[in-house]
Amino acid sequence: MKKTLAVCALLCLPFSALAAESYSVLFKTQGTFEDVRDSLQIAIEGKGLKITNTNKIAAMLERTGKDIGETRQVYGNAEQFEFCSATISRRMMEADPHAIMMCPYSVAVYTIPGDKTVYMAYRKPAVTKNPALKKALGEVETLLTEIIKDAM
């Protein structure tokens, strides 16, 4: 019975979600980087959240690579949006004040040279035995997944 439920659960996952390393959840889509990036920004703001910082990762790597003698282009384009949900973050930090390190949340959008896919990803929330924190972190993960699906 457990195997049947596991298979059903896997079949319900969107085919655009990729198995990633244990530290991230990765989605892929098609389109231009700019269109996907803009859709992601709209999806975040559509949840009533304010983007507090945009990190231009590809530009930073290109700029600093020259200073350290590295020339390989890691990304075609790469940006990371940082934001928080006051409601979910409050529940998370009430459950464990040390969970402050989980904020802000971030979602990255990027392309890899030679690959026509546009990727979106977020960090997996930490594993915890604290039931209240586990619930709040589950809400964070649900929110981040919804944002990316809305952007797709």
Side-chain angles (χ1 to χ4, degrees):
M1 181 66 167
K2 287 183 182 179
K3 286 183 182 178
T4 303
L5 289 174
V7 169
C8 289
L10 287 173
L11 292 174
C12 292
L13 289 173
F15 290 110
S16 56
L18 299 173
E21 296 288 337
S22 62
Y23 59 84
S24 67
V25 178
L26 182 64
F27 294 81
K28 66 178 185 174
T29 191
Q30 298 299 311
T32 67
F33 170 80
E34 292 79 10
D35 287 345
V36 175
R37 180 202 56 212
D38 293 349
S39 292
L40 182 58
Q41 184 174 359
I42 290 167
I44 293 166
E45 293 169 348
K47 295 282 187 192
L49 304 169
K50 180 176 174 24
I51 296 170
T52 55
N53 195 33
T54 302
N55 298 309
K56 310 261 185 197
I57 306 295
M60 179 273 300
L61 288 176
E62 183 178 338
R63 183 182 68 253
T64 59
K66 294 172 187 170
D67 295 337
I68 61 173
E70 297 293 336
T71 58
R72 184 171 77 91
Q73 183 182 9
V74 179
Y75 300 105
N77 289 291
E79 294 185 21
Q80 180 187 59
F81 296 117
E82 293 180 343
F83 54 94
C84 249
S85 161
T87 332
I88 297 172
S89 293
R90 178 153 191 107
R91 282 195 288 271
M92 182 176 67
M93 289 179 234
E94 283 180 354
D96 181 351
H98 304 294
I100 191 171
M101 296 310 302
M102 298 302 295
C103 273
Y105 319 137
S106 68
V107 177
V109 56
Y110 58 94
T111 59
I112 297 172
D115 185 345
K116 294 182 190 285
T117 302
V118 180
Y119 296 92
M120 290 181 279
Y122 63 85
R123 279 181 297 229
K124 284 184 118 172
V127 176
T128 180
K129 293 179 183 178
N130 175 330
L133 181 57
K134 185 175 186 173
K135 183 178 183 213
L137 292 174
E139 291 177 59
V140 170
E141 189 156 23
T142 297
L143 173 67
L144 297 175
T145 298
E146 286 175 357
I147 286 170
I148 289 177
K149 286 182 178 180
D150 289 349
M152 295 175 81

